[in-house]
Amino acid sequence: MPAPTELAGRLAELEHAGLKRRRRILEGAQGAHVRVDGEDLLSFASNDYLGLANHPEPVVAAQLAAARHGVGAGASHLLSGHHALHHRLEEALATFVGLPAALLFSTGYMANLGVLTALLGRDGAVFADRLNHASLVDAALLSRAQHIRYPHLDLGTLDKRLSESDARVKLIATDAVFSMDGDIAPVRELMDLAARHDAWLYLDDAHGFGVLGREGRGILEHASPLTPHPSLIYMATLGKAAGVAGAFVAGSPDLIDWLLQKARTYVYTTAMPPMLAAATARSLELIRAEPWRRERLASLIARLKAGVAQLPWQLLPSGTPIQPLLVGSNEAALRLADGLRRQGILIPAIRPPTVPEGTARLRISLSAAHSVEDVDRLLAALHALAAT
Ligand SMILES: *Cc1c(COP(=O)(O)O)cnc(C)c1O
């Protein structure tokens, strides 16, 4: 990490390596068609999988709640900021995912940090899939528990590491849907392993909630029939398919009560604005009541897969709206992203350290807000670039 006099040089190094990141400026709402840096683009770059981020019903719910209850919670949940809108949303979320209780957090990142630090200390161990999201890596580090990473989806190795460990408290942590690959963790088998080793099972369903299952209840619906064990901890974020912001953790009543006492990212922070809880409650009703959004996604995924078959680049095996097109080198991924951009299409090139060296990719992210014509336009552009 840089000393003050080294900073400019270190930034120049990043630039030189093709790793310097910059932000594009979005004007107007998130969606399939966006205005970015003054250009109108077809975007496959958001996590707004169901097209709810700019849906009029959550928008109106937020407006009404703001008019009635103001824009800020004004305090943490444990002081005076826990609003009836938060409370009702927690109950609705717990019911929706089929677990006894739930607790709202302001972001998914904070939920991950809060839960792992509330359950683990120096005498604990986290068993983590190597491709887990960065926030889970940071949560494990912050907890000071031993951090044992197993090869992606390798349950044999996981079982072995659990058996070898003499940690007093064990926790298996995994993305339910892997954020840069789009594949899905084998939750029933993980549940069995956790029960057998008296370990917690922590599922980060940031990309499955709203998307997986007929009703959109996420990984637990996808993996059903599944009898949730008391060691199950479910986390989902509310800024992706739900289109708003925040996150929740669900599990047994005692677990939720413990987190309410001990999760520092819950206790020592201002509650999310109640207007966002109102918007999310409305989104949740849309998630449940409009399965056509998931059906549309499924047909767009199938269309993309069929159309990409003749290209020199391959899609990673994923049945979710995250469809990564594996390119390889950083330069080739950037070149492809630039080529698409010149044709009016926005797709981010994902490079190390977000993904392993040599696996730079375009992360194509589909949404129910896309039309068949949008996907066909992307396919035509990719075929044109493959021919040059
Ligand atoms: C996005 C994401 C998070 C963080 O959620 P935020 O609400 O954006 O902070 C955590 N885990 C995974 C797997 C994610 O993709």
Side-chain angles (χ1 to χ4, degrees):
M1 290 298 145
T5 48
E6 293 167 349
L7 193 53
R10 296 294 292 277
L11 282 167
E13 278 170 26
L14 283 179
E15 179 83 59
H16 192 69
L19 292 176
K20 179 104 178 288
R21 294 163 184 235
R22 54 175 283 276
R23 298 172 298 175
R24 301 181 178 87
I25 297 175
L26 175 69
E27 296 155 53
Q30 188 60 268
H33 297 267
V34 291
R35 190 163 180 83
V36 169
D37 289 344
E39 257 184 288
D40 292 315
L41 299 173
L42 167 59
S43 167
F44 295 91
S46 86
N47 300 315
D48 179 24
Y49 301 120
L50 298 180
L52 297 180
N54 187 34
H55 190 288
E57 292 183 21
V59 168
V60 167
Q63 287 168 333
L64 289 175
R68 210 168 291 157
H69 306 293
V71 290
S76 66
H77 284 278
L78 292 181
L79 283 179
S80 63
H82 187 61
H83 197 278
L85 289 167
H86 296 129
H87 204 76
R88 283 206 293 273
L89 177 59
E90 287 178 343
E91 289 171 350
L93 288 165
T95 303
F96 186 60
V97 298
L99 291 169
L103 192 68
L104 278 177
F105 284 77
S106 294
T107 72
Y109 203 128
M110 290 169 73
N112 285 349
L113 295 185
V115 174
L116 266 62
T117 55
L119 293 175
L120 295 161
R122 287 188 196 283
D123 58 354
V126 181
F127 300 82
D129 188 290
R130 191 163 281 286
L131 294 191
N132 277 351
H133 189 260
S135 57
L136 280 173
V137 177
D138 293 356
L141 293 176
L142 191 62
S143 76
R144 300 171 211 227
Q146 204 188 347
H147 192 194
I148 297 164
R149 301 179 80 181
Y150 58 90
H152 184 47
L153 302 181
D154 181 348
L155 300 196
T157 302
L158 170 59
D159 191 12
K160 196 148 147 268
R161 297 282 174 272
L162 283 161
S163 301
E164 289 160 1
S165 167
D166 55 5
R168 205 178 55 76
V169 181
K170 302 174 189 175
L171 182 145
I172 304 168
T174 185
D175 285 21
V177 175
F178 287 84
S179 55
M180 294 299 142
D181 292 62
D183 53 350
I184 298 177
V187 165
R188 255 178 302 181
E189 292 80 352
L190 285 164
M191 194 79 256
D192 290 344
L193 267 184
R196 200 140 48 70
H197 291 278
D198 188 25
W200 295 102
L201 174 61
Y202 189 76
L203 297 178
D204 176 338
D205 200 24
H207 300 277
F209 181 78
V211 170
L212 295 179
R214 217 196 71 80
E215 291 179 42
R217 291 187 281 113
I219 189 69
L220 298 181
E221 185 183 3
H222 175 82
S224 71
L226 175 91
T227 316
H229 193 268
S231 68
L232 175 68
I233 309 168
Y234 177 86
M235 191 287 288
T237 64
L238 301 169
K240 288 170 178 154
V244 188
F248 71 100
V249 176
S252 73
D254 280 352
L255 170 78
I256 296 307
D257 200 16
W258 180 256
L259 295 177
L260 197 155
Q261 319 299 321
K262 297 288 183 185
R264 296 169 67 84
T265 57
Y266 183 81
V267 175
Y268 297 106
T269 196
T270 300
M272 73 157 63
M275 62 188 277
L276 298 187
T280 306
R282 193 69 203 109
S283 281
L284 186 62
E285 288 168 27
L286 292 168
I287 288 173
R288 184 176 15 212
E290 300 193 348
W292 68 262
R293 293 176 188 275
R294 285 174 291 281
E295 289 155 16
R296 159 87 64 90
L297 268 175
S299 74
L300 295 177
I301 292 167
R303 195 170 183 93
L304 178 72
K305 285 189 174 188
V308 157
Q310 310 304 323
L311 287 172
W313 313 287
Q314 283 192 349
L315 287 172
L316 295 180
S318 157
T320 67
I322 302 169
Q323 292 289 322
L325 192 68
L326 190 62
V327 180
S329 76
N330 297 348
E331 296 68 30
L334 283 175
R335 219 176 314 119
L336 193 53
D338 282 348
L340 288 169
R341 174 70 184 263
R342 277 194 294 278
Q343 301 191 51
I345 298 175
L346 180 65
I347 303 183
I350 309 287
R351 291 159 284 157
T354 308
V355 294
E357 258 342 298
T359 70
R361 64 197 68 178
L362 296 194
R363 183 180 183 273
I364 301 169
S365 151
L366 294 169
S367 166
H370 287 123
S371 63
V372 166
E373 292 71 35
D374 292 335
V375 170
D376 288 349
R377 208 179 125 197
L378 168 61
L379 287 167
L382 285 168
H383 279 91
L385 288 164
T388 58

